[in-house]
Amino acid sequence: MEATDRKLAIMKVIIEDYIDTAAPVGSRTVSKKFEDGLSSATIRNEMSDLEEMGLLVQPHTSAGRVPSQAAFRIYVNELMSLNGAVSEDERAAVNSFYMCHIGDMENLMKQSASLISAMTKQPALALVPQLRRTTLKRLQIIPVIKGAALVVIVTSTARVKQKVIRVPDNVGDHDLNAISRMMTERFQGQSIADIDVGRIGTSQDSFLMDTDVFRAIEECINDALLLPDGSDILIEGVRNAFNYPENESIDDIKSFWTLFQDRVRLQRMMTDALRHDVKVTIGEENGEDWLKNLSVVTAPYKVHGRSLGSVGVIAPVRMDYARIIESLKIVSENLSKVMTLYISE
Amino acid sequence: MEATDRKLAIMKVIIEDYIDTAAPVGSRTVSKKFEDGLSSATIRNEMSDLEEMGLLVQPHTSAGRVPSQAAFRIYVNELMSLNGAVSEDERAAVNSFYMCHIGDMENLMKQSASLISAMTKQPALALVPQLRRTTLKRLQIIPVIKGAALVVIVTSTARVKQKVIRVPDNVGDHDLNAISRMMTERFQGQSIADIDVGRIGTSQDSFLMDTDVFRAIEECINDALLLPDGSDILIEGVRNAFNYPENESIDDIKSFWTLFQDRVRLQRMMTDALRHDVKVTIGEENGEDWLKNLSVVTAPYKVHGRSLGSVGVIAPVRMDYARIIESLKIVSENLSKVMTLYISE
DNA sequence: AATTAGCACTCGAAGACAAAGAGTGCTAAC
DNA sequence: GTTAGCACTCTTTGTCTTCGAGTGCTAATT
């Protein structure tokens, strides 16, 4: 069976109606919305063909039809139009928002996620600038309690990340101070991924015979600061997930909730987004069971061509792709601009 | 009408059954559970009296009865027994957990909340040690971008709090460093609430004619770091709220969700808990509409008699008060011990 | 050959109705 | 003071029916 233009046009109408209403679409509805005045009987025949081709699905005999995930893929690739999905006014509003913010990174990312969520009426995710892709501004080791110290790392994107490490008892406050100063001087401006504490350990400074602290710090940086632990993910607008008409049972809500609780998994997903441009993953394409009824759209923000972090939306397969893609593009472009400003100073 | 011992004993049975099942309790059920073998008819008469006294409520004629909020108050004050609400084994497990943790404050509080949530099967809250009640360990101002700097404050409880402030353009990196050092030296070990930046501004150091930075830092400390902004609250175990049998509509879930979203309000509530010992607030006693069907139990943790922060549970009025109170006591006692250790070093 | 009107058919949603069951209040007996 | 007994109330549950949206097929139309 061949997918004629008319079939695809009909499918497009069905998809867009379904995105709107979340309810199966009947032939009469399509007939009314379809530009050329085709009768519902004709539409029925075409719809029957589309079903045979695996693009439409009938929940039960006497219901309308629902687009399959394959249909959404075709829609996203070939059928939808991005023009006008986000109005010029909205664009301008977003741009001006990024003009006049004061530079608190964590907050900026949070607001970006909120913004996306507000524009799309869906839950939004943001991955803050990744440490291993930014440079070190300062490293400070602060004694907290006997045997433990706090490592505070400040990055070029004004992110602060902290972690408690154990230190040998024979290392005093003064030593920690000296190490902090030394490491900051040595690694300032370098990529955090490149920090190789070992190199310092072998240096001439003899005030510290014990290299345990260095090893602890290295471990701290590697394991604690660079491994995805879910702290790099911001989630906003989860409440939107409660309004999906297709979710009526509490179990649906629960599974959504557990989804958003698994921050590590989300972080991994959003980190994967760094390797692509705008990326749309529809339902089972995700390959993961927990996402089989959801689609994910992500967009990275970049500095000098290098992806630093990402923003994204996670929503039912019947999301409004055009609007979501455009919203993410706008936000990620703005973020890229702001970040470039930060990094270059 | 007088509340005889027997009436109260019957009420106790009803309350405890209701805590268990969340369903109206009938006279036959009580008759079976009641120690002395009273018939259901007798119980019915007593229940009728209790209803007249405003302690029981009948959802509709042919249903059992539900305890009123007033009944719960009497139960908490006079009827319930705390003994055995938490087993010795559990106690021991909790204690040993606090024995062997490594000192990351944020994490410790998070785990405490998780612990409470696990013990009580309810959502749990924790208020991290309040800045204005701890002392300063280090204050560092780090330039981020032209015109903005990051103030990082580390407290004696190993908390890190950061905030971006504006700085005048003529203040250089070197100045910020000097100010950091000066302020740390000057205020180290002092209560953060006592930091009066003005006192420094007037000092002899002439390298900085501009006192704007000082003012900005002061403002930063006062407004941004001390005002409740919701960042001091940790919430764990919200998923428990999805399992309440009395919540069946999605709207119930939604309202629960919005409740937990309003972190500032929760923070204010938990801050209020600092002024009391274990505190039980039942339903409308809260005075706030959003809590009229929920009870809140809070317990502060203290260092040298001074409340630093608090832990709490928020759940339907029919919560298991004895178990929740005991759980909070155990955790707060352990937290007090750990905190005392921190502060004294 | 494509389109359409017409009609029988399917299936779920919604409403009506009856039966079951849990619980009460009252009365009279113990 | 307690309790057995009973009529009464009200929700829950299941069954049946009706209604309507939608389909698929056939025959007529363009």
Side-chain angles (χ1 to χ4, degrees):
Chain A
M1 182 94 52
E2 200 192 354
T4 63
D5 282 356
R6 196 174 70 175
K7 281 194 175 51
L8 290 180
I10 290 173
M11 192 177 85
K12 187 177 177 214
V13 171
I14 294 175
I15 288 183
E16 286 173 353
D17 188 86
Y18 183 65
I19 286 176
D20 251 26
T21 64
V25 186
S27 55
R28 228 178 92 78
T29 315
V30 179
S31 159
K32 272 184 288 185
K33 287 202 182 174
F34 204 61
E35 51 251 39
D36 317 334
L38 285 181
S39 80
S40 65
T42 314
I43 304 286
R44 268 203 294 285
N45 290 329
E46 296 285 55
M47 283 167 80
S48 174
D49 290 351
L50 284 165
E51 179 167 13
E52 206 176 317
M53 294 160 69
L55 297 175
L56 295 182
V57 174
Q58 226 175 347
H60 56 262
T61 334
S62 74
R65 283 181 173 94
V66 167
S68 70
Q69 296 191 353
F72 276 106
R73 173 48 68 195
I74 295 177
Y75 176 73
V76 169
N77 287 357
E78 303 169 24
L79 267 36
M80 76 178 171
S81 148
L82 296 175
N83 294 338
V86 175
S87 74
E88 284 309 317
D89 288 356
E90 271 180 296
R91 264 171 221 277
V94 174
N95 290 338
S96 73
F97 165 80
Y98 282 97
M99 282 301 163
C100 58
H101 91 102
I102 176 157
D104 179 339
M105 186 52 49
E106 204 83 11
N107 213 21
L108 176 67
M109 293 309 298
K110 199 170 172 176
Q111 289 176 325
S112 297
S114 287
L115 196 57
I116 294 167
S117 174
M119 291 175 83
T120 62
K121 305 270 187 292
Q122 304 288 358
L125 303 172
L127 183 72
V128 301
Q130 291 303 89
L131 286 185
R132 59 171 76 243
R133 288 161 187 258
T134 54
T135 58
L136 181 74
K137 200 132 206 170
R138 187 176 295 262
L139 186 154
Q140 186 89 41
I141 308 170
I142 300 164
V144 174
I145 188 176
K146 202 174 178 60
L150 192 68
V151 179
V152 179
I153 288 184
V154 183
T155 75
S156 54
T157 51
R159 270 200 82 202
V160 181
K161 201 143 181 180
Q162 72 248 33
K163 172 82 186 172
V164 171
I165 60 168
R166 292 184 184 284
V167 293
D169 286 0
N170 61 333
V171 178
D173 295 10
H174 196 74
D175 298 333
L176 291 178
N177 251 327
I179 297 175
S180 303
R181 210 163 20 239
M182 201 168 69
M183 290 192 66
T184 302
E185 267 168 37
R186 177 73 181 76
F187 294 117
Q188 200 161 45
Q190 290 192 29
S191 161
I192 290 176
D194 295 343
I195 294 179
D196 176 1
V197 184
R199 267 184 290 160
I200 276 210
T202 61
S203 80
Q204 71 295 346
D205 311 271
S206 56
F207 70 90
L208 217 210
M209 29 229 58
D210 200 338
T211 56
D212 281 3
V213 193
F214 284 122
R215 243 183 270 126
I217 294 167
E218 183 163 34
E219 196 181 311
C220 167
I221 292 177
N222 288 338
D223 293 8
L225 300 180
L226 297 179
L227 282 186
D229 63 349
S231 68
D232 286 3
I233 275 285
L234 297 170
I235 307 172
E236 292 288 321
V238 175
R239 92 166 279 124
N240 290 301
F242 296 155
N243 294 328
Y244 300 147
E246 59 266 50
N247 277 11
E248 50 228 348
S249 85
I250 287 205
D251 283 342
D252 292 336
I253 302 274
K254 266 196 220 170
S255 68
F256 235 91
W257 173 254
T258 28
L259 167 65
F260 285 117
Q261 282 296 93
D262 194 347
R263 304 173 71 92
V264 177
R265 194 139 55 163
L266 294 174
Q267 182 167 337
R268 246 186 266 125
M269 195 178 75
M270 292 300 287
T271 309
D272 186 64
L274 300 184
R275 295 186 292 127
H276 309 83
D277 212 324
V278 175
K279 186 183 164 200
V280 180
T281 320
I282 298 173
E284 293 182 337
E285 294 173 3
N286 286 291
E288 309 217 36
D289 199 51
W290 53 294
L291 277 176
K292 69 174 190 289
N293 292 315
L294 299 173
S295 287
V296 179
V297 185
T298 56
Y301 51 87
K302 303 179 179 186
V303 171
H304 303 140
R306 191 150 190 234
S307 297
L308 264 196
S310 54
V311 287
V313 167
I314 183 163
V317 171
R318 60 158 251 286
M319 65 163 79
D320 183 347
Y321 292 91
R323 190 169 167 79
I324 288 175
I325 289 171
E326 284 301 283
S327 303
L328 287 176
K329 269 192 196 160
I330 299 165
V331 169
S332 77
E333 278 162 18
N334 273 291
L335 277 175
S336 297
K337 262 187 235 158
V338 176
M339 296 288 169
T340 309
L341 223 86
Y342 265 87
I343 300 279
S344 60
E345 295 223 13
Chain B
M1 181 98 47
E2 201 193 350
T4 63
D5 281 356
R6 196 174 73 174
K7 281 193 174 50
L8 290 180
I10 289 173
M11 192 176 85
K12 188 175 177 217
V13 171
I14 294 175
I15 288 182
E16 285 173 356
D17 188 86
Y18 184 65
I19 286 176
D20 250 25
T21 64
V25 186
S27 55
R28 227 177 92 77
T29 315
V30 179
S31 160
K32 272 184 291 185
K33 286 201 182 177
F34 203 60
E35 51 249 39
D36 318 333
L38 287 180
S39 80
S40 66
T42 314
I43 304 286
R44 268 204 292 285
N45 290 329
E46 296 286 54
M47 283 168 79
S48 175
D49 290 352
L50 284 164
E51 179 167 13
E52 207 176 315
M53 295 160 69
L55 297 176
L56 295 181
V57 175
Q58 226 176 349
H60 57 262
T61 334
S62 73
R65 284 181 170 94
V66 167
S68 70
Q69 296 191 354
F72 276 106
R73 173 46 71 195
I74 294 176
Y75 176 72
V76 169
N77 287 358
E78 303 168 26
L79 267 35
M80 76 179 172
S81 147
L82 296 175
N83 294 338
V86 175
S87 75
E88 285 309 317
D89 288 356
E90 271 181 296
R91 264 171 223 277
V94 174
N95 289 338
S96 74
F97 165 79
Y98 282 97
M99 282 299 163
C100 59
H101 91 101
I102 177 160
D104 179 338
M105 186 52 49
E106 204 84 11
N107 214 22
L108 176 68
M109 293 309 298
K110 201 171 170 175
Q111 289 176 325
S112 297
S114 289
L115 197 56
I116 294 167
S117 173
M119 292 175 81
T120 62
K121 306 270 187 293
Q122 303 288 358
L125 304 173
L127 183 71
V128 301
Q130 291 301 89
L131 287 185
R132 60 171 74 243
R133 287 159 188 259
T134 53
T135 58
L136 182 73
K137 199 131 207 172
R138 187 175 293 265
L139 186 154
Q140 187 87 42
I141 308 170
I142 300 164
V144 174
I145 188 177
K146 201 177 179 60
L150 191 68
V151 179
V152 179
I153 288 184
V154 181
T155 76
S156 52
T157 52
R159 271 199 82 203
V160 180
K161 200 142 181 181
Q162 71 247 33
K163 171 82 186 172
V164 171
I165 59 168
R166 292 183 185 283
V167 293
D169 286 0
N170 60 332
V171 178
D173 294 10
H174 196 75
D175 299 334
L176 292 179
N177 251 327
I179 296 175
S180 303
R181 209 162 21 239
M182 200 167 71
M183 289 193 66
T184 301
E185 268 167 38
R186 178 75 181 75
F187 293 117
Q188 200 160 42
Q190 291 192 28
S191 160
I192 290 176
D194 294 344
I195 294 178
D196 177 0
V197 183
R199 268 184 291 162
I200 275 212
T202 61
S203 79
Q204 72 294 349
D205 311 271
S206 56
F207 68 90
L208 217 210
M209 29 230 57
D210 201 339
T211 57
D212 281 2
V213 193
F214 285 120
R215 242 182 271 126
I217 294 168
E218 184 161 35
E219 195 181 313
C220 167
I221 292 178
N222 288 338
D223 293 7
L225 300 181
L226 297 180
L227 281 186
D229 63 349
S231 68
D232 285 2
I233 274 286
L234 296 170
I235 308 171
E236 292 290 319
V238 175
R239 92 166 279 125
N240 290 301
F242 295 156
N243 294 328
Y244 300 147
E246 60 265 50
N247 278 11
E248 50 229 348
S249 85
I250 288 204
D251 283 342
D252 292 335
I253 302 275
K254 264 195 222 171
S255 67
F256 233 93
W257 172 253
T258 28
L259 166 64
F260 285 118
Q261 282 296 94
D262 193 347
R263 304 173 70 91
V264 177
R265 194 140 52 164
L266 293 175
Q267 182 167 337
R268 247 186 265 126
M269 196 179 75
M270 293 300 288
T271 308
D272 186 63
L274 300 185
R275 294 186 291 128
H276 310 81
D277 211 326
V278 176
K279 187 183 162 199
V280 180
T281 320
I282 298 174
E284 294 182 337
E285 293 174 3
N286 286 291
E288 307 218 37
D289 199 50
W290 53 295
L291 278 177
K292 68 173 188 291
N293 293 315
L294 299 173
S295 287
V296 180
V297 184
T298 56
Y301 51 87
K302 303 180 177 185
V303 171
H304 301 140
R306 189 148 192 234
S307 297
L308 264 195
S310 54
V311 287
V313 167
I314 182 165
V317 170
R318 62 157 248 288
M319 64 162 81
D320 183 348
Y321 292 91
R323 190 170 167 77
I324 289 175
I325 289 171
E326 283 302 283
S327 303
L328 287 177
K329 269 192 196 160
I330 298 166
V331 169
S332 77
E333 277 161 19
N334 272 292
L335 277 175
S336 296
K337 263 186 234 158
V338 176
M339 296 289 170
T340 309
L341 223 84
Y342 265 88
I343 300 278
S344 60
E345 297 223 12

